[in-house]
Amino acid sequence: MKEIFPPQPAAGLAHRRLCLAVDVEQYSRLDTLTQSVVQCDLVRMLDEAAVLTGLDRAAWTRQPQGDLEFAVLPEATPEDAVLDSFVHHLVVRLRERNARPPAQRVRLRMAVDIGMVADAALGHAGPAPVAVARYVNAPQLKAVLATLTAADLAVLVSDRLYQDVVRSGRRNLAPEQYVQAHVRVKEFGGYGWVRVPGHAPDDVRSAMAEPEPESSSDVGVSSGTALSQYVHQGAAVGRDVVGGLTVGLPVSPPPADSGPAR
């Protein structure tokens, strides 16, 4: 009997790269034929937006997933061009496409982060790919699209990218147009910044629904404990409101009436 060996990790060190995910809102409600058309349109619009921005899509490492494309961009990619020109051209392509009857309207959620990325057997490993996958499914992005029905695109950038790039004073990035959001999806928790092109930040802020806290059975802690979690080097890291730091699942706090022995 031939011995079967598990796949070996792909060679290569982790590098700091820009990661981007774009997901089609309410894709599962479409029939099979329409899903196929929407997938083709999504790829075409991303291609066109990249060309108009001066980005080489052929150099992107892409992982298509039906209604979603995840991509790792080359190291030399200018982050401000992605957050400004690429987003602008994508909005224009969406508007033009959705104005053509009888096309099924396409609305997108987009997430962008920057961080360490390594090649892996099933694609990529590292905190940035994990964060982008969670950010693109943020309840806040879904809430703003549900409320701001004229919007075709909602964008969320990580706090790291916002602080390093958006607030750097580079022309056209307009940090005042972003609204902070605390995102919790599955075991992940972290801060990001939401922008909806064409909509005022006050409208975005009022449209964002506060996500429901996870039950104690999901996170292994008392439901009264406020946590902020993120992924660091493959481990879930949580910080409570008083500054305690835990790696993995946090330890449940003592009962509220406990105190020093008398």
Side-chain angles (χ1 to χ4, degrees), residues 8-27:
Q8 297 300 308
L13 299 175
H15 297 277
R16 183 176 169 85
R17 306 281 287 278
L18 195 68
C19 296
L20 180 149
V22 180
D23 199 354
V24 179
E25 182 74 355
Q26 298 184 346
Y27 175 85

Side-chain angles (χ1 to χ4, degrees), residues 134 137-143 156 180-186 188-191 194 205 207-215 223 227:
R134 301 299 180 250
N137 286 304
Q140 291 89 341
L141 286 185
K142 297 179 180 181
L156 189 152
Q180 190 179 50
H182 186 211
V183 178
R184 291 189 181 185
V185 179
K186 297 184 178 180
F188 173 86
Y191 284 95
V194 177
R205 188 174 292 106
M208 290 197 310
E210 185 69 21
E212 292 294 327
E214 297 178 277
S215 66
S223 60
L227 295 174

